[in-house]
Amino acid sequence: MYGRKASQLVKELTGGEKGQLKAFNDDLINQVIKECGSHHVGLQALFRNMQEEGLDIQTTRNADFYGALIHHLSLTRNKRCLMAYMYNRADVVRSLRWKLGRVLPNELVTKLSNSEKEYFKGYSAALDAYMNEMNLDLTVCMIIVFARIWCHRRIRTSRLECLMILVKCCSLTGLPILRVTQCTFSNELMLNSIFVRV
Amino acid sequence: MHVQEETVDDFVESGIDPLTVSLYQMDLDRTQFLLRSYLRIRLQKIEKFMLHILKTNELHDRLSKQEKNFTRRYSDVIGKHLEESVLLNLPDNYQSLLRQSTTSEEDDMVPEPQMDTFVVCKAREYVGPSELQDSNKSLSTDLLMEMEPGELFFIPFKRIKKLLENGKVDLV
């Protein structure tokens, strides 16, 4: 059945966790490309038939034409599936640069094709060049911290003191404060305990 | 941001109360974070719609000089990757990156941002029905709607695109 292998390729993208790469399926890609080649051969053969019968390819609508059309549509569908596979994997490869930095661990490198390895290097270089030109490292400070401070009711602390604790905490961890939500006074927890949600 | 960095350095040198210094430092960190976030999101959008941006002059002009350089380098990298892995192995008329085949009437393999998605927005000032109409339809057949300032609306993006650029409407 035409297009089945290409569907398999695309299904590989959806199986598994989001953002995780499976090993590059060289074999299946080559099979799909080969199928495209045979579609093309079939298409040309049918057009030659029509020409030999003296029919105009642009306007005639006979069995040969529709056969050629099916070849063409299967070919373009295969092309779309191939491109979708490459494109989506390229998206994941790019996100790896942001998550893991310039050097990838070996277990991930084995899952990439040679071209993808070159792509990773090229993307990394383009990103580094941009960050150099802007004089700013964009790969740091990618998460923000929401902190809520609970203070024991019996110990009276002011908002300012809560803020001081927060500032100390942030200067220790190096993370920026974006927003301070309320400081609630409750009976339960001890002073100086800060719950941090990332 | 540079001014803030200098202020912090001055404070540290003059030995002012550490709390004040930390507060200034915090403010600096916060500004830096916002700046980095902004630039990161711009880069992500460029990467997502790169071919479309390169084709549309109006969008290309909105990029900074460094972003234009990045786009050029990145398009080379991804073009080479896709061509070598797949495109050059396909039959002759099907090798284009932009089109499905040479018989396609337009560049149908270039992803474009969806203008029809609904977005939530708030008007800053009064917006009359004439400004919201779809330019292809006449006023009488199109939906008549006005937007009072401060009210929230759920509306297709393309209707408010111009208003957004003029600053009359904000996205929420």
Side-chain angles (χ1 to χ4, degrees), chain A residues 119, chain B residues 50 74-84 87 97:
Chain A
Y119 172 68
Chain B
M50 184 206 49
Y74 175 67
S75 66
D76 287 341
V77 168
I78 196 170
K80 187 162 162 253
H81 170 55
L82 290 174
E83 276 171 13
E84 284 180 2
L87 291 172
L97 181 60

Side-chain angles (χ1 to χ4, degrees), chain A residues 126-127 129-136 138, chain B residues 35 38-46 53-54 56-73:
Chain A
L127 193 61
Y130 175 75
M131 293 197 290
N132 273 336
E133 284 177 12
M134 300 293 285
N135 214 1
L136 199 60
L138 292 183
Chain B
L35 181 66
Y38 171 70
L39 291 174
R40 267 198 296 266
I41 291 188
R42 276 183 76 98
L43 278 189
Q44 276 172 19
K45 286 188 179 176
I46 292 175
I53 291 175
L54 286 174
T56 322
N57 275 332
E58 184 205 329
L59 293 178
H60 190 65
D61 287 336
R62 290 185 193 171
L63 303 180
S64 70
K65 190 168 80 107
Q66 296 92 341
E67 282 170 345
K68 284 184 185 161
N69 288 343
F70 174 76
T71 313
R72 213 179 358 102
R73 286 188 195 109

Side-chain angles (χ1 to χ4, degrees), chain B residues 2 19 35 98 112 148:
Chain B
H2 284 302
L19 178 62
L35 181 66
L98 303 172
E112 293 186 6
E148 294 286 336

Side-chain angles (χ1 to χ4, degrees), chain B residues 95-121:
Chain B
Q95 285 184 356
S96 158
L97 181 60
L98 303 172
R99 297 184 179 207
Q100 291 191 66
S101 79
T102 47
T103 54
S104 306
E105 287 159 2
E106 43 175 28
D107 291 343
D108 44 7
M109 285 195 79
V110 175
E112 293 186 6
Q114 296 273 18
M115 292 305 207
D116 287 334
T117 39
F118 280 80
V119 290
V120 185
C121 66

Side-chain angles (χ1 to χ4, degrees), chain A residues 1 8 29 35 45 79 86 89 93 119 121:
Chain A
M1 186 63 220
Q8 242 176 297
I29 294 247
E35 202 180 282
K79 178 176 175 181
M86 301 300 297
R89 279 181 70 98
V93 166
Y119 172 68
K121 278 193 210 140

Side-chain angles (χ1 to χ4, degrees), chain A residues 80 94 115 123 138 144, chain B residues 33 40 47 74 81 100:
Chain A
R80 288 197 301 275
R94 282 207 309 278
S115 185
Y123 176 68
L138 292 183
I144 55 177
Chain B
F33 172 80
R40 267 198 296 266
E47 285 168 17
Y74 175 67
H81 170 55
Q100 291 191 66

Side-chain angles (χ1 to χ4, degrees), chain A residues 86-99:
Chain A
M86 301 300 297
Y87 228 78
N88 281 290
R89 279 181 70 98
D91 277 350
V92 178
V93 166
R94 282 207 309 278
S95 70
L96 292 175
R97 167 68 180 86
W98 288 93
K99 280 189 232 176

